[in-house]
Amino acid sequence: MTNGKNEDKGDDIVASAPCHTQQFHRALAVLAGKWKGDILWQLVERKRRFGELRQSIPGVTQHMLTTQLRDLEANGLVKRTVYPEVPPRVEYEMTPSARALKPVFDELFRWSQEHGFPTGAHPKASPAGEPEQPTPPGQAQTGRTPASQGREPGARST
């Protein structure tokens, strides 16, 4: 690297750019949160109601989902629409600003495949000791893995 250029790619590199670093950290802060990625992933396909989101994101509490949705809405990534019905119907959808992140999410997924994080290859163990399988958007997770299918709840494998 010479003269602020990366010779491999020819990209300009700003060695000391606190403004750029601060902007990068602000962008990451908008997306930071245990459930925000899951929420946005679920909203990529279509609008969803609160209950649908809660069912499709295992482990999220009602309070945390509400908090994360409000945060995403405040940052302009999620649009909340309330319909004047009884009972009230509320739908959440991605804003154009959030949709602009789709190439970033696609690239992150590609990177994970290329660098040792392939889907299902090294699944994280669940509290029950069984591997968790990724759930595609739009499919609610039942909490039962193929290994537990056919067993009574609470029954141990031999």
Side-chain angles (χ1 to χ4, degrees):
M1 180 165 126
T2 58
N3 297 333
K5 291 265 189 182
N6 181 334
E7 293 175 2
D8 292 336
K9 295 185 178 181
D11 299 331
D12 286 335
I13 296 176
V14 181
S16 59
C19 182
H20 291 271
T21 302
Q22 290 170 356
Q23 186 62 31
F24 179 74
H25 284 284
R26 280 194 296 270
L28 283 180
V30 167
L31 297 172
K34 183 173 182 178
W35 306 106
K36 288 180 183 177
D38 290 310
I39 293 167
L40 291 172
W41 180 254
Q42 292 299 319
L43 295 176
V44 164
E45 288 183 335
R46 63 180 174 86
K47 297 177 187 178
R48 295 195 188 265
R49 294 179 72 174
F50 184 88
E52 289 179 288
L53 285 170
R54 186 152 182 228
Q55 287 178 348
S56 64
I57 304 172
V60 70
T61 64
Q62 181 172 337
H63 173 76
M64 189 51 65
L65 181 57
T66 300
T67 301
Q68 299 282 277
L69 282 165
R70 285 180 181 160
D71 234 17
L72 289 166
E73 184 181 12
N75 286 303
L77 297 177
V78 169
K79 178 183 172 192
R80 179 178 187 259
T81 305
V82 180
Y83 295 91
E85 302 172 356
V86 176
R89 178 170 53 117
V90 179
E91 290 182 341
Y92 296 90
E93 64 183 303
M94 292 178 92
T95 63
S97 177
R99 289 207 180 279
L101 288 168
K102 187 175 181 330
V104 175
F105 291 140
D106 290 342
E107 184 60 22
L108 184 60
F109 179 77
R110 188 203 60 75
W111 173 83
S112 72
Q113 296 290 301
E114 188 175 307
H115 294 282
F117 306 105
T119 304
H122 299 292
K124 180 175 72 173
S126 68
E130 295 176 356
E132 291 181 6
Q133 298 298 321
T135 304
Q139 294 182 6
Q141 188 170 5
T142 63
R144 299 182 76 185
T145 61
S148 68
Q149 299 293 330
R151 287 200 315 246
E152 289 298 316
R156 293 186 169 199
S157 61
T158 55

